[in-house]
């Protein structure tokens, strides 16, 4: 719609925003009318109309099998559009049109904003299945007529009341029509069932909806006056009422076809099962986060025990081996700590990488600086855990073997993220400016435990590649190429 309006019309951005607000609401008008809606806007030169939006009803057959959005028609070909645009009134005159042997009644509703007519809604009703209307259908049609008149006068949609139609109740979910005093004139079968779910034992027609709702809602004190007023439809609002037997979602729509409220529409839907599932998901998320928190605590306890054991050992090599194990356990604990603070099993790995770098930098034999460049991005937990261990091992290896006691230097971790969600890659380079690799060194045959861990995790668990090569100028480069999913 944005492209069509800006390409063909002279409407401003505020006018376009009003049309968006209308289109977010007009499923309600379409369902109440049992009719298709097409929004036509005059072109910049005033010689044609362009259709910028279309809506089909959920309550009846469609009048248009084809998509009408983007069609251009010259002015004069559809007299009802011309009359509604020029006179600023709802136009219903004229005989039904025949489309593919289907009779269609066409009406035109001007779309007004701040006294100006921005466009015209063509309401097209398929007459092939017309029969004697029931009380429900008559209530729908009368409510549709009131809403159409509000659109023509600029009173609907309601400014600042953007509605998510996927989450709001729809006409078929349940409808109640109120008079100006809030007394129920009609309740659809689904609407009545919703109130029975709240605990109402009688029919609702003739009752004051606001007072009845407030009495049914659980309360420890006097009747909730705010709830009683909102449920009476005095203002456009959405709210929920929860009782032990269920949860009902409400949407109140005041009807002011001539500027004065003559009544209200209340749409309602039973969302008991939906809210129950949401609570289950919240409980599961909390449980998963608690598990990660406890795993982190247990790993920290293991690391502390290993650290105590290392202090009691006389063997230097044994003490170093235990300290390496402490750092390996610590890197896994960092991932679980991060997961315990998230709502899903994905983590921002840059923070983890920085903490791993800081942890490993503590073993630096001299004035060696560790830093990170680039961005790892968001990673799944099953990638983050082994990658944190790989990073720990590679950094430990660089600090232990590339520099001697008292040396100064730099170890840089560089990350480059690229590709789509299908073939995304994470390229990691760990480069030092130390003494370089020994003559004839082959990382695939080296017996170092740390490099064996790296090879196993990178190639076996992460499905990537690992290599160690001399740096372009001085030192060593460790190259990691991993398949990952793209950032969301």
């Amino acid at each position: 719609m944005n492209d069509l309006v800006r390409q063909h019309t002279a409407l401003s951005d505020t006018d376009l925003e009003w049309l968006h607000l209308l289109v977010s609401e007009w499923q309600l008008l379409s369902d109440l009318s049992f009719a298709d809606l097409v929004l036509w806007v005059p072109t910049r030169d005033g010689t044609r109309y362009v259709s910028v939006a279309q809506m089909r009803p959920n309550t009846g057959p469609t009048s248009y099998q084809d998509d009408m959005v983007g069609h251009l028609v010259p002015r004069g070909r559809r007299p009802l559009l011309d009359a509604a645009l020029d006179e600023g009134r709802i136009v219903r005159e004229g005989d039904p049109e025949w489309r593919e042997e289907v009779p269609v009644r066409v009406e035109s509703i001007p779309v007004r904003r701040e006294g100006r007519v921005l466009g015209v809604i063509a309401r097209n009703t398929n007459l092939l299945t017309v029969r004697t209307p029931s009380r429900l259908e008559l209530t729908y049609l009368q409510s549709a007529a009131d809403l159409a008149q509000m659109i023509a006068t600029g009173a609907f949609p309601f400014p600042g009341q953007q509605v998510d139609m996927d989450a709001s109740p729809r006409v078929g979910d349940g409808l109640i029509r109120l008079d100006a005093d809030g007394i129920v004139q009609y309740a659809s079968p689904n609407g009545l069932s919703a109130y029975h779910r709240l605990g109402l034992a009688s029919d609702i027609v003739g009752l004051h909806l606001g007072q009845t709702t407030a009495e049914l809602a659980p309360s420890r004190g006097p009747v909730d006056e705010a709830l009683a007023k909102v449920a009476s439809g005095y203002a456009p609002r959405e709210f929920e009422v929860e009782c032990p037997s269920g949860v009902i979602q409400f949407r109140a729509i005041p009807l002011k076809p001539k500027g004065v409220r003559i009544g209200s529409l209340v749409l309602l839907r039973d969302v008991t099962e939906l809210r129950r599932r949401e609570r289950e998901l919240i409980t599961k998320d909390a449980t998963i986060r608690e598990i990660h928190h406890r795993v982190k605590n247990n790993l920290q306890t293991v690391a502390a025990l290993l650290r105590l054991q290392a202090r009691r050992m006389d063997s230097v090599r044994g003490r170093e081996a235990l300290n390496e194990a402490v750092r390996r356990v610590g890197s896994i604990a960092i991932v679980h700590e991060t997961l315990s603070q998230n709502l899903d099993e994905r983590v921002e790995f840059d923070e983890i990488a920085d903490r791993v770098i800081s942890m490993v930098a503590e073993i630096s034999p001299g004035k060696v600086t560790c830093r990170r460049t680039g961005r790892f991005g968001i990673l799944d937990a099953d990638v983050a855990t082994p990658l944190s261990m790989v990073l720990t091992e590679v950094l430990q290896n660089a600090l232990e073997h590339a520099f001697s006691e008292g040396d100064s230097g730099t170890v840089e971790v560089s990350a480059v993220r690229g590709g789509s969600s299908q073939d995304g890659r994470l390229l990691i380079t760990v480069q030092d400016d130390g003494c370089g690799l020994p003559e004839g060194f082959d990382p695939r045959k080296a017996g170092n435990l740390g490099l064996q861990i790296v090879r196993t995790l990178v190639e076996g668990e992460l499905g990537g590649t690992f290599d160690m090569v001399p740096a372009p100028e001085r030192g060593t480069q460790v190259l990691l190429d991993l398949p990952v999913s793209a950032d969301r």
Side-chain angles (χ1 to χ4, degrees), residues 182-239:
I183 304 300
V184 177
Q185 294 180 313
Y186 175 79
S188 70
N190 285 344
L192 182 59
S193 295
Y195 266 85
H196 287 166
R197 187 67 179 264
L198 289 177
L200 182 67
S202 63
D203 191 2
I204 198 171
V205 175
L207 300 180
H208 189 281
L209 189 69
Q211 295 177 359
T212 302
T213 305
E215 291 169 359
L216 292 172
S219 176
R220 296 180 180 178
V223 173
D224 188 339
E225 297 296 336
L227 177 59
K229 190 165 185 177
V230 169
S232 298
Y234 285 92
R237 292 287 187 273
E238 288 196 23
F239 60 98

Side-chain angles (χ1 to χ4, degrees), residues 461-479:
E461 190 162 344
L462 296 175
T465 60
F466 158 71
D467 200 5
M468 291 182 71
V469 298
E473 297 181 359
R474 180 188 176 189
T476 304
Q477 275 188 343
V478 176
L479 306 175

Side-chain angles (χ1 to χ4, degrees), residues 370-413:
C370 297
R371 63 170 179 259
R372 173 180 64 86
T373 61
R375 179 174 176 270
F376 287 87
I378 298 174
L379 299 176
D380 293 330
D382 55 359
V383 174
T385 301
L387 182 56
S388 67
M389 288 192 64
V390 168
L391 194 59
T392 301
E393 296 298 333
V394 172
L395 288 170
Q396 281 187 167
N397 190 71
L399 292 174
E400 290 178 359
H401 300 291
F403 304 97
S404 301
E405 187 74 29
D407 286 350
S408 61
T410 302
V411 178
E412 181 175 301
V413 179

